[in-house]
Amino acid sequence: NAGVTQTPKFQVLKTGQSMTLQCAQDMNHEYMSWYRQDPGMGLRLIHYSVGAGITDQGEVPNGYNVSRSTTEDFPLRLLSAAPSQTSVYFCASRQRGGRYNEQFFGPGTRLTVL
Amino acid sequence: AQSVTQPDIHITVSEGASLELRCNYSYGATPYLFWYVQSPGQGLQLLLKYFSGDTLVQGIKGFEAEFKRSQSSFNLRKPSVHWSDAAEYFCAVAAGGSQGNLIFGKGTKLSVKP
């Protein structure tokens, strides 16, 4: 199993550009989520999904869109990038069965918006 | 509101010395608590978790944590630190509801002196 994979690893955007961060998992996990990590802020939840076709907002959803058409994939879209979205983005997944289940994290995407 | 506080931003210990990283949580019901470790440039890896039962939890890499309800704490400990333990450590609580989104503390960076 590859676990949770994310592409790209690094990305530089100009203000106003759009892009999609890819996330895929091969563990048949129903729950998937996106976090951003900023220095001194820990990880903050952007969006999450409890299954194909179901998504919801987390703590910091503004400026981001998500969709979940398959169990495996959960892409994160930046429609018009802003410098405030410079961050490291992590995708995670877990089995839906209980809140005690471990979340597995991808290696992250480091995004810089100029 | 649910929250996690890690009072120490940065800790330095000598190799071979003992380690304790502090974590305090705010949660109304029985908490589901986690410790994750992040090595430089990597994703997060689960060290251990607590959701019920014995209040002393054993994890990977020789770490343990003790849940103290009276103090709303879930401190992480290791009797003898190795240089490879240098990393950032995050405490997290699973929020309520079936989705159980993780709420992270801001992290504690551990440096190890030779």
Side-chain angles (χ1 to χ4, degrees):
Chain A
N1 285 352
V4 180
T5 57
Q6 292 182 238
T7 56
K9 288 190 186 317
F10 301 94
Q11 184 70 48
V12 178
L13 292 178
K14 294 181 179 177
T15 297
Q17 287 185 316
S18 63
M19 80 159 295
T20 299
L21 279 63
Q22 301 291 345
C23 174
Q25 52 90 11
D26 60 1
M27 298 174 281
N28 202 32
H29 286 170
E30 291 184 311
Y31 176 96
M32 296 185 73
S33 55
W34 277 102
Y35 294 86
R36 60 177 289 172
Q37 182 180 26
D38 303 292
M41 298 295 292
L43 280 81
R44 292 180 293 169
L45 183 66
I46 304 171
H47 284 285
Y48 66 96
S49 168
V50 296
I54 307 169
T55 64
D56 206 347
Q57 297 180 349
E59 179 186 357
V60 288
N62 292 342
Y64 307 96
N65 277 355
V66 292
S67 60
R68 185 97 179 269
S69 56
T70 67
T71 299
E72 295 77 20
D73 301 297
F74 190 44
L76 178 72
R77 297 183 185 85
L78 284 70
L79 299 178
S80 179
S84 61
Q85 294 179 304
T86 294
S87 188
V88 182
Y89 292 85
F90 289 99
C91 180
S93 74
R94 68 165 167 80
Q95 292 178 336
R96 188 182 176 184
R99 293 187 289 138
Y100 50 82
N101 287 337
E102 175 183 358
Q103 284 205 40
F104 293 85
F105 284 80
T109 294
R110 185 173 294 273
L111 176 67
T112 301
V113 183
L114 302 176
Chain B
Q2 300 139 1
S3 65
V4 175
T5 301
Q6 293 181 248
D8 304 304
I9 297 172
H10 190 187
I11 285 182
T12 300
V13 299
S14 297
E15 191 168 16
S18 63
L19 171 70
E20 183 169 28
L21 302 182
R22 296 183 290 165
C23 172
N24 293 99
Y25 66 89
S26 173
Y27 190 76
T30 299
Y32 291 62
L33 295 161
F34 304 79
W35 274 101
Y36 281 85
V37 60
Q38 184 183 30
S39 298
Q42 304 294 315
L44 277 71
Q45 181 184 22
L46 181 68
L47 284 176
L48 47 78
K49 62 184 179 183
Y50 169 82
F51 58 95
S52 69
D54 194 345
T55 57
L56 187 63
V57 180
Q58 301 297 321
I60 63 170
K61 305 185 180 189
F63 285 91
E64 66 179 26
E66 186 171 13
F67 171 63
K68 293 186 177 180
R69 185 186 299 274
S70 61
Q71 298 178 17
S72 297
S73 69
F74 188 54
N75 294 349
L76 183 71
R77 302 194 293 244
K78 186 169 186 179
S80 177
V81 168
H82 188 261
W83 63 267
S84 61
D85 294 323
E88 191 155 19
Y89 292 80
F90 293 95
C91 182
V93 64
S98 60
Q99 62 272 26
N101 297 327
L102 289 180
I103 299 169
F104 284 88
K106 294 184 178 181
T108 298
K109 184 175 179 181
L110 173 66
S111 297
V112 180
K113 291 190 299 185

